Amino acid sequence: MGRFTRRRAALVVVGVLAAIAYLGVERSGGDSASEATSTSSGRGRILVPSSTSAGGGEVVFGEATIQVGATTLRVQVADTLDERALGLMHRDSLEPFAGMLFVFESDTQARFTMSSTPLPLTIGFYDRAGERVAGRAMSPCDDVPERCPTYSADATYRYALEVPRGALPAGRLEVGALPSS
């Protein structure tokens, strides 16, 4: 792929993310977009406008209990492109969850942004064996996505865990019981 084509593809991705940030999260009955409702499948539900979701109108996050070192965490799971693109945007609180686990199909060096994410977070990047390869403190950014800093690991990773700033547990992510993307 030529340099011009890669640049055009990157601009398309940034445009899609900007559209998601602009359109926001559709509120469903509560006073906070962070409220998750359980369904019979055990997946939390965050609604987004249908124009931003290839699946027809809503992004449904999975839930999991994970182990990082000696710490057990209940997290939402983002394991599809739509879920990873939305992530923790527009959330005033993570409750009742301790964070969000991003699961990728293969090793990646994808970058994260804090565009439209009002909570200061820490992100841990883990390889396919669950070893932490990097951690980053991330600051909220209410600016347009193109002006927000991006965060990534210096090495490839398979999982990323976002938690409130300073709350990233030490140790290895136990990947044996994790959902796969």
Side-chain angles (χ1 to χ4, degrees), residues 26-75:
E26 177 183 339
R27 297 180 188 258
S28 60
D31 58 1
S32 170
S34 66
E35 292 180 343
T37 59
S38 293
T39 65
S40 60
S41 65
R43 292 176 67 85
R45 184 175 300 263
I46 302 293
L47 301 176
V48 297
S50 60
S51 62
T52 65
S53 174
E58 64 185 17
V59 174
V60 181
F61 292 99
E63 299 177 22
T65 300
I66 63 171
Q67 189 77 28
V68 181
T71 306
T72 301
L73 302 169
R74 181 173 172 230
V75 297

Side-chain angles (χ1 to χ4, degrees), residues 8 14 30 40 42 60 75-76 84 129 131-132 146 148 165:
R8 183 176 288 178
V14 167
S40 60
V60 181
V75 297
Q76 285 191 297
R84 290 189 300 261
E131 297 297 327
R132 188 158 74 185
E146 298 82 16
C148 293
R165 177 154 315 146

Side-chain angles (χ1 to χ4, degrees), residues 86-99:
L86 182 60
L88 292 173
M89 293 168 67
H90 310 286
R91 307 276 188 105
D92 296 324
S93 169
L94 297 179
E95 292 182 7
F97 302 98

